[in-house]
Amino acid sequence: MSEYQAPLQDMRFALQSLIDLEQLAALPGFEDATPDLIDAVLDEAAKFAANELSPINRSGDLQGLSWTEGEVATADGWKGAYSQFVEGGWNSLSCAAEHGGQNLPRLVSALTEEMWNGANISFALCPMLTRGAIEAIELRGSDALKATYLPKLVSGEWTGTMNLTEPQAGSDLSAVRTRAEPQADGSYQLDGQKIFITYGEHDLADNIIHLVLARTPDAPEGVKGISLFVVPKFMVKEDGSPGERNDVRCVSIEHKLGIHASPTCVIAFGGNGGATGYLVGEENRGLEYMFIMMNAARYSVGIEGIGLSERAYQRAVSYARERVQGVEAGVRGGGKVPIIRHPDVRRMLMLMRSQTEAMRALACVVASAMDIARLHPEADRRAQQQAFVDLMIPVVKGWCTENSIDITSLGVQVHGGMGYIEETGAAQHFRDSRITTIYEGTTGIQANDLIGRKIARDGGATAATVLVQMSEVASSASGASDESLKLIGQSLAEAVSALSASVDYVVANFKQDMRSTSVGAVPLLKLFGVVAGGWLMAREALAAQAGLSAASGTEATFLQNKLVTARFYAEHVLTQADGLARTIRCGAASALALADDAF
Amino acid sequence: MSEYQAPLQDMRFALQSLIDLEQLAALPGFEDATPDLIDAVLDEAAKFAANELSPINRSGDLQGLSWTEGEVATADGWKGAYSQFVEGGWNSLSCAAEHGGQNLPRLVSALTEEMWNGANISFALCPMLTRGAIEAIELRGSDALKATYLPKLVSGEWTGTMNLTEPQAGSDLSAVRTRAEPQADGSYQLDGQKIFITYGEHDLADNIIHLVLARTPDAPEGVKGISLFVVPKFMVKEDGSPGERNDVRCVSIEHKLGIHASPTCVIAFGGNGGATGYLVGEENRGLEYMFIMMNAARYSVGIEGIGLSERAYQRAVSYARERVQGVEAGVRGGGKVPIIRHPDVRRMLMLMRSQTEAMRALACVVASAMDIARLHPEADRRAQQQAFVDLMIPVVKGWCTENSIDITSLGVQVHGGMGYIEETGAAQHFRDSRITTIYEGTTGIQANDLIGRKIARDGGATAATVLVQMSEVASSASGASDESLKLIGQSLAEAVSALSASVDYVVANFKQDMRSTSVGAVPLLKLFGVVAGGWLMAREALAAQAGLSAASGTEATFLQNKLVTARFYAEHVLTQADGLARTIRCGAASALALADDAF
């Protein structure tokens, strides 16, 4: 059973070729984030992922979780791994120094996050949710809340959750019914039930801090009447340690297709004395605050897709090298060969590889923009980068996760019959990936966010600036003398026009006919991802070509392989662009014509 | 929990609009196969699927199978359902009358087979394998073998299996090692182990008849030294009843991603006295005979994809009608609506629906061609139809199954978070579908069969005749006055040129460079499926339009909906054609360039 190995060489190449690392280290507070330090962190993270998280991935899937009278026991080895995670400082990597964090760029923690997810997505979900809780309290919590909760959440001694969903309120949070009654001491008593709460209950940490959406008694209806509360599992004593149990219970856990080792809980607030909660920020602005967590979480779910894809790729490659079956196509009298020699197996591996690299490149560029958007001294630059981040979050989330289903499915396919046997491990990645297009907003929700708030609202202005950058890269590559670069450039140029025409279509039609335009939302999200991936693969290919003359040995081989992989992406993935664009422009009438009862 | 309902209206429309039912009934032996009789059979089958097979689908998935000392117990209710299946005569529907069959067209049993798979694929696998055993014995078995085995296999009292795979011999059957030693009495003693044997052991029937590939002592190496044997679980007594146990044991069963209620067995032949087997046909021609079963099985696996897609569609529609979430896009102040009103949900449902209808149409046309190829009095006509069947079998198998993964995945997605919870049922279809692109030859194997034996070998001649038919339909539709038909025709015409150019490319390049051409094999298979589906949806649309003037009420609504669905297919599915064609023509160099150790 192979263990996950972090793709350090490709991660480092993405940093070198796509990111201005000097500019990054020049951001206030990032003085220590030198290339050497980043390298060292990635090396250590790779070891932790391979040695501690990967070995308990399959056992966690098999053993799952046990629920006994409200307590959830994680699988064997999980408590130990989590303590080591906390002790190693991995939880606090890119948290603010003032709360005990290490203040490293989001770019760095994005790469370590890919590793945690590649090694063990069920484990990685726990710190991912904690991060969301930290961000909400950091940005909108009172000083008292910050002092009480942030240090322990940042260290990872305590973990966090996001409590949004209720049975009648999934994608539509306006339907949230959980009540929060103000008390004389300034706290609130919460009453209600939440479902699908990831790591809502577990035995990994001393306390669990729930961030909960609820309504105060006089709140307006709909999304404008939702407030955000901190509700700890254990009340916090004066000395900061966990005290008596709050009235928060895990009523049950779900039996899911995948992520078996990650508890998905039904959580009941109140009913036995009352669940004490504390308001975050102002009343009725909870949804706005929740979106702070949500946007961060959406980016992180995109990273899950990348980690899972990389893991599936590695497992498939390893099998394809070992499995001997058949002779080489077109060769008579030759011996039997490992299946990696078969053209269709190579096609599948290249599809997995090229798209995973493209997604990683996009995730890096967006993470770096997050850092600049937060810390750059110039407000214009911050705003410009934030607009880019906002535009790309639904693409990272939607495209990387949709791809991960296809890529983990290819991983099963490479294994043939063995892929369908659970023992092999390939099927787990496929099952695990299937949630990623659903939670933290389905692909449909991401796509509507993309076409409405991110493209139509500013009349396509932010998208246009990205399209200009894409076109410039296409021109550079088209104008190169290298044959592969030329082909990559031409393919990218065509794909960029297809995207550009689709963006124009959305801008021109969204306000007059939101319903029809929305039919093309998911195709547009996919198109945006496909083209963004092609853009960044082309940038990496240009950098690889530029670096080749001075490179030798394994470095030269890596650069040559990058050129090949980018060309494969151009020929096998970018070629989808025009078909998607046509669907966006012409596919509404037929999609909306049937009566509801005709289905 | 909704039960499966056979899509009778669409099945009947496919028969009326695509099949010459008079010609069918005029084939020798099919005199009874009148439209009225076919209708009645489909009605009864629909009831059996809904009332007997669908209710034990989820419970079978949950309970799975138990293996105890070589015996496999099926889930509760399965024995009863299987007896009813046999009593109802469902096993013998299209078997020859001389062995007790009902001699109905394959077209009819293809439709009932879709129903069994839609209701319960794990159940449907059992008669599917029996059919393969019947066909091999019928076509190549001695009179003695026929007399001993066929009546009980045809009735379904006994079931059949295909024993091909060994640990070192999966896709590559030349590596089969199981030995068959001739005995003085004309029988053989078999010795070896087979894996992945569907229904290799179970408690549904009185006997299990294994069709086994093995090598005789002096057999040449490779595929030319494989023979086919009948090896019964229980030896058959003089009176035809099962006697003593043969030396055939189920050593273990696999734990799989899906089809949990269908036993996938490791079967050991010999080792305790010797497994007695009987040669089918001549020695060393086993692979050729096995392909008789295999081709029938490949078609049937394609049908599995259609049944699963229909089931996933029905479940998603039912959920989308019930689940209320959010308000209508672009409508201010409206109430909350069922999610079927949301454009992206409709897009997903239409993708599921339109592709399922297109696949069903293709399966019908191919089944009808099988009937003509077997029974038409004119040899030319038989040969021509057989060539069409041979060309389309890999397309039916590969395209319908690859689609079924995507379609059942969309089924999960429509359910949102509930789709990921096993209790909901949508995830089971997704898990079940994942095997269909693997067994009976992976999609890669189908695609190589398509480009090599089915397209390149006859210089593209058979494909060309199909392309001509496709073009004619595109012209008819383009020339219609109805706007939808016109659009469908134009879209089809473009897709047909893309396919035509790709076929030409394969014909021109396959012999000189099989390796490079093979990179485009799976894209070509998908392209062929996409275009064939578009061709038949266009034929159905033309028939719908023609029928509209005389129709009223629900019939008129059905015809209008068919036009809408065909147009959706043209706008959302046929639009992929050009991208696939480009990949076929230009994607080889990059796919094959990396060194094996560079992955």
Side-chain angles (χ1 to χ4, degrees):
Chain A
M1 212 51 90
S2 70
E3 299 300 349
Y4 167 80
Q5 298 296 331
L8 285 171
Q9 198 172 16
D10 195 62
M11 287 178 165
R12 286 188 177 125
F13 183 73
L15 294 182
Q16 286 158 23
S17 59
L18 302 172
I19 309 297
D20 184 341
L21 291 174
E22 272 185 41
Q23 185 197 34
L24 187 78
L27 291 173
F30 283 179
E31 297 75 15
D32 295 338
T34 60
D36 282 352
L37 180 85
I38 293 175
D39 246 20
V41 169
L42 296 182
D43 270 337
E44 284 306 308
K47 284 179 202 157
F48 189 79
N51 301 336
E52 308 301 332
L53 301 186
S54 178
I56 58 170
N57 183 45
R58 165 89 178 125
S59 58
D61 180 63
L62 265 179
Q63 191 183 342
L65 300 147
S66 70
W67 180 97
T68 317
E69 296 186 5
E71 307 281 319
V72 173
T74 54
D76 296 342
W78 283 59
K79 281 179 89 159
Y82 187 75
S83 328
Q84 285 190 59
F85 185 83
V86 171
E87 278 163 32
W90 294 116
N91 199 67
S92 63
L93 218 55
S94 57
C95 297
E98 58 178 310
H99 305 299
Q102 296 167 65
N103 214 38
L104 282 172
R106 182 69 182 100
L107 176 61
V108 176
S109 67
L111 290 172
T112 59
E113 214 173 320
E114 186 198 314
M115 297 184 201
W116 316 149
N117 280 295
N120 193 329
I121 179 181
S122 282
F123 182 94
L125 277 163
C126 185
M128 191 270 264
L129 270 298
T130 304
R131 165 192 300 283
I134 292 170
E135 291 187 17
I137 296 175
E138 208 166 32
L139 285 163
R140 303 297 169 196
S142 64
D143 289 343
L145 283 181
K146 287 182 189 171
T148 308
Y149 294 102
L150 283 183
K152 299 269 170 78
L153 284 169
V154 165
S155 69
E157 285 165 273
W158 297 353
T159 67
T161 72
M162 285 167 68
N163 283 251
L164 289 70
T165 308
E166 299 176 10
Q168 79 294 345
S171 295
D172 178 9
L173 290 170
S174 71
V176 158
R177 284 188 201 141
T178 295
R179 310 277 301 170
E181 193 81 37
Q183 307 295 302
D185 66 354
S187 72
Y188 290 74
Q189 291 291 329
L190 275 82
D191 192 59
Q193 199 174 74
K194 296 285 181 178
I195 61 169
F196 296 160
I197 309 308
T198 301
Y199 277 94
E201 175 58 33
H202 60 82
D203 56 6
L204 300 181
D206 296 337
N207 205 354
I208 301 172
I209 311 306
H210 302 286
L211 277 279
V212 186
L213 289 186
R215 288 182 189 283
T216 55
D218 306 321
E221 282 194 11
V223 292
K224 289 179 181 162
I226 298 175
S227 305
L228 180 64
F229 299 89
V230 164
V231 184
K233 173 180 172 186
F234 291 102
M235 303 304 293
V236 181
K237 291 195 288 196
E238 287 285 318
D239 68 358
S241 66
E244 60 182 298
R245 195 74 154 73
N246 200 358
D247 184 9
V248 178
R249 296 180 319 287
C250 172
V251 177
S252 63
I253 55 176
E254 308 289 353
H255 297 99
K256 309 184 297 290
L257 174 60
I259 53 168
H260 287 164
S262 162
T264 303
C265 305
V266 177
I267 301 281
F269 295 93
N272 292 301
T276 303
Y278 307 97
L279 183 69
V280 177
E282 297 169 32
E283 274 189 15
N284 300 331
R285 293 183 61 185
L287 204 74
E288 176 193 329
Y289 307 155
M290 194 52 97
F291 266 105
I292 299 168
M293 295 165 69
M294 187 70 112
N295 264 325
R298 285 176 174 180
Y299 175 80
S300 288
V301 175
I303 300 280
E304 291 174 12
I306 306 172
L308 285 164
S309 297
E310 173 68 33
R311 183 69 189 100
Y313 170 69
Q314 291 185 15
R315 194 183 290 278
V317 166
S318 154
Y319 186 80
R321 280 218 186 87
E322 286 163 20
R323 173 71 171 167
V324 172
Q325 196 79 176
V327 296
E328 198 145 346
V331 175
R332 286 208 177 264
K336 296 194 190 292
V337 294
I339 62 170
I340 201 167
R341 298 293 308 154
H342 298 323
D344 189 56
V345 173
R346 296 180 78 89
R347 183 191 63 87
M348 291 193 278
L349 294 176
M350 289 298 293
L351 267 177
M352 298 172 81
R353 173 193 180 100
S354 63
Q355 292 181 99
T356 304
E357 290 184 10
M359 294 190 288
R360 179 176 301 123
L362 180 62
C364 284
V365 165
V366 172
S368 163
M370 286 180 194
D371 288 319
I372 303 172
R374 191 163 67 89
L375 296 172
H376 200 279
E378 292 162 28
D380 278 6
R381 192 101 168 81
R382 289 200 302 275
Q384 173 210 49
Q385 293 293 304
Q386 188 60 48
F388 174 72
V389 170
D390 290 344
L391 174 69
M392 296 314 285
I393 289 269
V395 177
V396 170
K397 201 291 185 178
W399 178 61
C400 296
T401 59
E402 291 284 341
N403 278 350
S404 78
I405 299 176
D406 294 342
I407 291 170
T408 56
S409 185
L410 284 169
V412 170
Q413 191 71 16
V414 168
H415 286 79
M418 289 304 294
Y420 203 62
I421 308 297
E422 284 287 357
E423 210 180 336
T424 308
Q428 185 192 344
H429 309 316
F430 179 62
R431 287 190 284 100
D432 285 352
S433 74
R434 191 63 195 80
I435 187 60
T436 61
T437 62
I438 297 173
Y439 59 18
E440 313 299 349
T442 62
T443 307
I445 298 279
Q446 305 303 322
N448 280 326
D449 180 47
L450 177 68
I451 66 164
R453 276 183 290 270
K454 308 300 173 59
I455 292 180
R457 187 177 286 174
D458 75 358
T462 306
T465 64
V466 181
L467 283 160
V468 167
Q469 296 173 56
M470 290 173 168
S471 289
E472 286 167 2
V473 172
S475 299
S476 302
S478 306
S481 57
D482 178 81
E483 192 210 359
S484 287
L485 278 178
K486 214 186 274 292
L487 285 166
I488 291 167
Q490 287 159 358
S491 185
L492 179 59
E494 285 178 49
V496 171
S497 341
L499 175 57
S500 181
S502 302
V503 166
D504 289 350
Y505 177 85
V506 166
V507 170
N509 293 283
F510 185 78
K511 275 167 199 164
Q512 299 88 295
D513 190 356
M514 191 189 296
R515 213 168 142 68
S516 294
T517 318
S518 299
V519 170
V522 169
L524 180 65
L525 181 147
K526 288 189 181 171
L527 176 61
F528 217 125
V530 162
V531 181
W535 163 46
L536 298 175
M537 286 302 275
R539 282 184 58 192
E540 290 198 345
L542 284 161
Q545 174 65 24
L548 260 177
S549 57
S552 62
T554 57
E555 198 200 339
T557 308
F558 175 85
L559 298 175
Q560 272 151 355
N561 292 344
K562 179 60 83 172
L563 271 163
V564 168
T565 307
R567 179 169 162 181
F568 181 92
Y569 185 95
E571 293 174 337
H572 288 251
V573 183
L574 272 179
T575 39
Q576 299 166 11
D578 188 58
L580 287 164
R582 288 180 57 190
T583 292
I584 294 160
R585 290 196 306 273
C586 72
S590 56
L592 300 176
L594 287 200
D596 293 358
D597 62 3
F599 283 90
Chain B
M1 210 55 83
S2 70
E3 299 299 349
Y4 167 82
Q5 298 297 330
L8 285 171
Q9 199 171 14
D10 195 61
M11 288 177 163
R12 287 186 177 128
F13 183 74
L15 294 182
Q16 287 158 22
S17 58
L18 303 172
I19 309 296
D20 184 341
L21 291 173
E22 272 186 41
Q23 185 196 33
L24 187 79
L27 291 172
F30 284 179
E31 296 76 12
D32 296 340
T34 60
D36 282 353
L37 180 84
I38 294 175
D39 245 22
V41 169
L42 296 183
D43 269 338
E44 284 306 307
K47 284 180 202 155
F48 190 78
N51 301 336
E52 308 302 331
L53 301 185
S54 178
I56 57 171
N57 184 44
R58 164 88 179 127
S59 58
D61 180 64
L62 264 180
Q63 191 183 341
L65 300 147
S66 70
W67 179 96
T68 317
E69 297 184 5
E71 307 281 320
V72 173
T74 54
D76 296 343
W78 283 57
K79 282 178 87 157
Y82 187 75
S83 330
Q84 285 191 59
F85 184 82
V86 171
E87 279 163 32
W90 296 117
N91 199 66
S92 63
L93 216 55
S94 57
C95 297
E98 60 178 308
H99 306 299
Q102 295 166 65
N103 214 35
L104 280 172
R106 183 67 182 102
L107 176 61
V108 176
S109 66
L111 291 171
T112 60
E113 215 173 320
E114 186 198 316
M115 297 184 201
W116 315 148
N117 280 294
N120 192 330
I121 178 181
S122 282
F123 183 94
L125 277 163
C126 185
M128 191 269 264
L129 271 298
T130 304
R131 164 192 301 281
I134 292 170
E135 291 187 17
I137 296 174
E138 210 166 35
L139 285 162
R140 303 297 169 198
S142 64
D143 289 345
L145 283 180
K146 286 183 191 170
T148 308
Y149 295 102
L150 282 183
K152 298 271 170 78
L153 284 169
V154 164
S155 69
E157 285 166 272
W158 297 353
T159 68
T161 72
M162 285 168 69
N163 283 251
L164 290 70
T165 307
E166 299 176 10
Q168 79 295 345
S171 295
D172 178 10
L173 290 170
S174 72
V176 158
R177 286 191 200 136
T178 295
R179 311 277 299 171
E181 193 82 36
Q183 306 296 302
D185 66 354
S187 72
Y188 290 74
Q189 292 292 326
L190 275 83
D191 191 59
Q193 199 174 72
K194 296 283 182 179
I195 61 170
F196 296 160
I197 308 309
T198 300
Y199 277 93
E201 176 57 35
H202 60 81
D203 56 6
L204 299 181
D206 295 337
N207 206 354
I208 301 172
I209 311 307
H210 302 287
L211 278 279
V212 186
L213 289 187
R215 287 180 190 285
T216 53
D218 305 320
E221 284 195 9
V223 292
K224 289 178 182 162
I226 297 175
S227 304
L228 180 65
F229 298 89
V230 164
V231 184
K233 173 180 170 185
F234 291 101
M235 304 304 293
V236 180
K237 290 194 287 196
E238 288 284 318
D239 67 358
S241 66
E244 61 181 298
R245 195 74 154 73
N246 201 357
D247 185 9
V248 177
R249 297 179 317 288
C250 172
V251 177
S252 63
I253 54 176
E254 308 289 353
H255 298 100
K256 309 184 297 292
L257 174 60
I259 52 168
H260 287 165
S262 162
T264 303
C265 305
V266 177
I267 301 281
F269 294 94
N272 293 302
T276 302
Y278 307 96
L279 183 69
V280 178
E282 297 170 32
E283 275 190 14
N284 300 330
R285 293 184 62 183
L287 204 75
E288 177 192 329
Y289 307 156
M290 193 52 99
F291 266 105
I292 298 169
M293 293 165 71
M294 187 69 112
N295 265 326
R298 285 177 175 180
Y299 175 81
S300 288
V301 176
I303 300 279
E304 291 174 11
I306 305 172
L308 285 164
S309 298
E310 173 68 32
R311 181 70 188 100
Y313 169 71
Q314 290 185 14
R315 193 184 290 279
V317 166
S318 154
Y319 185 79
R321 280 218 186 88
E322 286 163 19
R323 173 70 172 168
V324 172
Q325 196 78 176
V327 295
E328 197 144 346
V331 174
R332 287 206 177 267
K336 297 194 188 293
V337 294
I339 62 171
I340 201 167
R341 297 295 308 155
H342 298 323
D344 190 56
V345 172
R346 296 180 79 88
R347 183 190 63 87
M348 292 193 279
L349 294 175
M350 289 299 292
L351 268 176
M352 299 173 81
R353 173 192 181 98
S354 63
Q355 292 181 100
T356 304
E357 290 184 10
M359 295 190 288
R360 179 176 300 124
L362 180 61
C364 284
V365 167
V366 172
S368 163
M370 287 181 195
D371 288 319
I372 303 171
R374 191 163 68 88
L375 296 172
H376 201 278
E378 293 161 26
D380 278 6
R381 192 101 168 82
R382 288 201 302 274
Q384 173 210 47
Q385 294 293 303
Q386 189 60 48
F388 174 72
V389 170
D390 290 344
L391 174 69
M392 297 314 284
I393 289 268
V395 177
V396 171
K397 202 288 186 180
W399 177 63
C400 296
T401 59
E402 291 283 342
N403 278 351
S404 78
I405 299 177
D406 293 344
I407 290 169
T408 56
S409 185
L410 284 169
V412 171
Q413 191 71 15
V414 169
H415 287 78
M418 289 305 294
Y420 203 63
I421 308 298
E422 284 286 358
E423 209 181 339
T424 307
Q428 185 192 343
H429 309 315
F430 180 61
R431 287 189 285 99
D432 286 352
S433 74
R434 192 62 195 80
I435 188 59
T436 60
T437 61
I438 297 174
Y439 60 16
E440 312 300 348
T442 62
T443 307
I445 297 278
Q446 305 304 322
N448 280 326
D449 181 47
L450 178 68
I451 66 164
R453 276 183 289 269
K454 308 302 172 59
I455 292 180
R457 186 176 285 174
D458 75 357
T462 307
T465 63
V466 181
L467 283 160
V468 167
Q469 295 174 56
M470 290 172 168
S471 289
E472 286 167 2
V473 172
S475 299
S476 302
S478 305
S481 57
D482 178 80
E483 191 210 0
S484 287
L485 278 179
K486 213 186 275 294
L487 285 166
I488 291 167
Q490 287 158 357
S491 186
L492 179 60
E494 286 177 48
V496 172
S497 346
L499 174 58
S500 181
S502 303
V503 166
D504 289 350
Y505 177 85
V506 166
V507 171
N509 293 281
F510 184 78
K511 275 167 199 165
Q512 299 88 296
D513 190 357
M514 192 190 294
R515 213 168 142 67
S516 294
T517 318
S518 298
V519 171
V522 169
L524 181 65
L525 180 148
K526 287 189 183 172
L527 176 59
F528 217 124
V530 162
V531 181
W535 162 47
L536 298 175
M537 286 302 276
R539 282 183 58 192
E540 290 197 345
L542 284 162
Q545 175 64 25
L548 259 177
S549 58
S552 61
T554 56
E555 197 200 339
T557 307
F558 175 86
L559 298 176
Q560 272 150 355
N561 293 343
K562 178 61 82 173
L563 271 163
V564 167
T565 306
R567 178 169 164 180
F568 180 92
Y569 185 94
E571 293 175 336
H572 287 252
V573 183
L574 271 180
T575 40
Q576 299 166 12
D578 188 58
L580 287 163
R582 288 180 56 189
T583 291
I584 294 160
R585 290 196 305 274
C586 73
S590 57
L592 299 176
L594 287 200
D596 293 358
D597 62 2
F599 283 89

